Amino acid sequence: MSTPESFMARAVAISGEHMRKGLGGPFGAVVVKDGEIVGEGANQVTSSNDPTAHAEVVAIREACRNLGTFSLAGCELYASCEPCPMCLASIYWARIDKAYFANDREDAARIGFDDSFLYDEVAKPIAQRSLPLIHLPSPEAGSIFQEWRDKEDKIPY
């Protein structure tokens, strides 16, 4: 039977399987549409040398490939841990309807995955962030934005 608990159990199982194989941290996620898993992901940061290869992002990418779309409206995501700021933004960008998580950010911090710095940084004004983010205007960049605005065959997202 497909229940929220069974989907969460799958996300948790994925987290353990991949962690035990040394493929990444203890994080797993699944994307569900109409009661079926359409994407699965495990943390692959260290095995793929990709700092963006978090379980949620991997699951979202697989779901989009499997469904042939960039919009996961009508889907739910189940994650073994509360999504970090990057994953949370990815969930929003994918237009996922609802997300569930098992462990929370404090649980993650206790085992060495403390995202509080990122939550704090995003809330700061740009000039107060620790990473210099410098506005360097370009007339060409502005022109391309205007071209996109006027493009009749664009696919909005």
Side-chain angles (χ1 to χ4, degrees):
M1 188 157 160
S2 300
T3 64
E5 293 78 14
S6 68
F7 296 130
M8 182 60 74
R10 179 62 189 146
V12 170
I14 292 167
S15 74
E17 291 165 10
H18 283 75
M19 184 236 356
R20 289 182 196 106
K21 291 178 183 174
L23 299 174
F27 304 99
V30 297
V31 176
V32 174
K33 183 174 177 96
D34 299 327
E36 299 289 327
I37 294 175
V38 295
E40 293 187 344
N43 181 285
Q44 300 173 9
V45 170
T46 57
S47 60
S48 67
N49 294 319
D50 179 354
T52 69
H54 290 200
E56 298 90 335
V57 172
V58 173
I60 287 168
R61 289 173 180 164
E62 182 175 281
C64 288
R65 268 192 310 276
N66 289 340
L67 297 174
T69 182
F70 56 82
S71 174
L72 297 178
C75 294
E76 298 176 338
L77 183 135
Y78 295 80
S80 65
C81 187
E82 181 178 354
C84 74
M86 177 186 71
C87 292
L88 182 59
S90 298
I91 291 165
Y92 275 104
W93 279 116
R95 294 170 177 74
I96 290 172
D97 291 357
K98 189 183 297 185
Y100 299 82
F101 63 93
N103 296 314
D104 66 23
R105 66 177 87 169
E106 287 81 20
D107 297 324
R110 281 191 288 277
I111 64 163
F113 295 94
D114 188 352
D115 294 329
S116 59
F117 170 77
L118 295 173
Y119 286 103
D120 294 343
E121 281 289 294
V122 169
K124 291 178 184 177
I126 290 173
Q128 294 177 13
R129 293 182 186 161
S130 64
L131 174 71
L133 189 58
I134 302 156
H135 183 208
L136 187 59
S138 162
E140 292 81 11
S143 175
I144 290 170
F145 266 27
Q146 288 179 19
E147 187 178 338
W148 170 260
R149 183 195 62 212
D150 299 336
K151 187 172 172 48
E152 293 187 21
D153 63 342
K154 68 184 168 209
I155 299 173
Y157 60 96

